[in-house]
Structure formats: C-alpha cells, structure tokens
Amino acid sequence: MVKFIKWFFIGIGALVLIAVIGYQWLIHNTKKHSPLDKVEYVESGERIAIDYCRPYKKGRDIFGELLPYGKVWRTGANEPTTFLTSADIMINGKTLPAGDYTLWTIPNEREWEIMFNGKQYDWGVGFNAEAAREPEHDVLVTNAPVQMLNDTISQFTIDITKQESMTLSFAWDNVRVELPMEWAE
C-alpha cells in the first residue's frame, strides 16, 4: 500500500510538471506571433502604464473582417490589454479614477467605443470565441472618431503622446483612433 501511495504521488507530480511546462510552451508560442509590449507615460510624477500584445496584419483585412464592426474586442491579442493610472484622468468630461483596468473597444466604421473595465481577466476571449468582458464592471465608457490613414500599419500599436493634450492612440491597418485625456485636478 505504501508503494502504491508513493507511485501515486510521483504520478501526480509528473502530471503537474507536464501541465506547467505545457502551459509555458503555449504562452511562448502564442506570444511570438503577437508579442507583448508595454507603453509607459510619465508626467509630473504621475504614471500611466499599458501592457498589451501586438498582433500583425499578415495580409488580412482587419476592421470589418477579422474584427467585425460592432463587436467587443480585447484591444490586442492574447490576454486583455491592461491600463494602469496612478492618478485620476479626465476623458471626454468623465473621470477615470486612479487604478488598474482592462481596456476594451468596439470598433465601428466611423467611431470606436472605448471601455475601461475594473475587472482583471485571465484571457481575452471565452470558449465561445466572444470577448470575456463583463459590462457591469465598466468604470468609464466613451467614444472616439476613426481617422483613415494613407499608409498601412502592419502591427497593432497603442501609444500615449502629448502635443496640446495627452492622447491615447490606437493604430492598425489603415485606421487610427485618438482619445484626448488630461490629468484630473
């Protein structure tokens, strides 16, 4: 009986080890096609950090095809995009409190709906291939117009810049969406 218990635990240990190695292998292979990137913006001691995975166009029609209009997108690949702000931000007259969020969008032909969601999710989509976002956890929802580009952006890009105001931008394929933001007072 002792020998059976010993081999049972060795078998369980081996299965756990195989599962951990397999999971790490899956993550590595998934991320090499849509690599992880980080955007950091610091101004006057306040910080915004965005972690997201950057899929490639690979000759595909992106908006309206790969990403159907009117459907929630995890705004990148793999895990949902995360958005951290160390201070309150004003976006289109609404306050986004300091904190950690997941960032979701609904691409449309003329404008995008952008949602900052207070829940952290393990993966961006469920087994039904639909976005994992739960709308009841949305902290701020806003819209931003689509700008059509003359050039093609081959890899999805999120950026924060500051000219006249701080701007969160999304660019991919021939589309750019800019969302003006400012630190709340």
Side-chain angles (χ1 to χ4, degrees):
M1 182 67 165
V2 172
K3 194 174 188 180
F4 171 77
I5 293 173
K6 175 182 161 186
W7 283 106
F8 175 77
F9 282 113
I10 288 173
I12 295 294
L15 288 174
V16 167
L17 182 61
I18 290 168
V20 167
I21 291 170
Y23 180 71
Q24 293 302 318
W25 179 82
L26 273 172
I27 289 173
H28 171 73
N29 280 331
T30 301
K31 300 254 172 124
K32 74 181 178 185
H33 297 292
S34 298
L36 184 63
D37 203 354
K38 183 176 198 114
V39 175
E40 287 194 308
Y41 178 84
V42 178
E43 181 182 17
S44 303
E46 302 300 348
R47 176 176 169 259
I48 296 173
I50 302 170
D51 290 305
Y52 71 112
C53 290
R54 302 183 62 200
Y56 288 91
K57 179 173 168 52
K58 297 181 190 170
R60 303 174 288 188
D61 291 328
I62 303 301
F63 299 105
E65 295 291 325
L66 178 67
L67 300 173
Y69 291 131
K71 294 196 82 168
V72 176
W73 177 39
R74 61 186 154 188
T75 317
N78 307 323
E79 303 88 359
T81 294
T82 60
F83 183 97
L84 170 128
T85 176
S86 65
D88 295 355
I89 299 174
M90 294 297 295
I91 301 172
N92 286 340
K94 302 173 187 174
T95 301
L96 178 67
D100 288 309
Y101 302 95
T102 50
L103 186 58
W104 305 82
T105 52
I106 299 177
N108 288 299
E109 209 167 342
R110 291 190 169 79
E111 73 176 7
W112 283 17
E113 189 172 338
I114 301 164
M115 292 84 65
F116 295 84
N117 188 285
K119 184 174 178 182
Q120 299 299 312
Y121 302 83
D122 291 333
W123 200 247
V125 294
F127 290 111
N128 61 357
E130 296 291 323
R133 170 184 156 256
E134 298 171 18
E136 62 270 17
H137 296 287
D138 288 346
V139 175
L140 188 141
V141 178
T142 192
N143 294 314
V146 167
Q147 302 169 22
M148 299 308 292
L149 303 174
N150 292 326
D151 297 324
T152 299
I153 308 294
S154 66
Q155 190 177 22
F156 177 62
T157 303
I158 298 176
D159 199 10
I160 298 178
T161 57
K162 178 147 186 185
Q163 277 89 36
E164 296 166 16
S165 67
M166 181 171 51
T167 302
L168 172 64
S169 65
F170 309 93
W172 198 18
D173 198 2
N174 62 342
V175 168
R176 182 176 182 85
V177 174
E178 294 182 341
L179 183 64
M181 306 184 301
E182 61 184 309
W183 302 110
E185 296 184 20

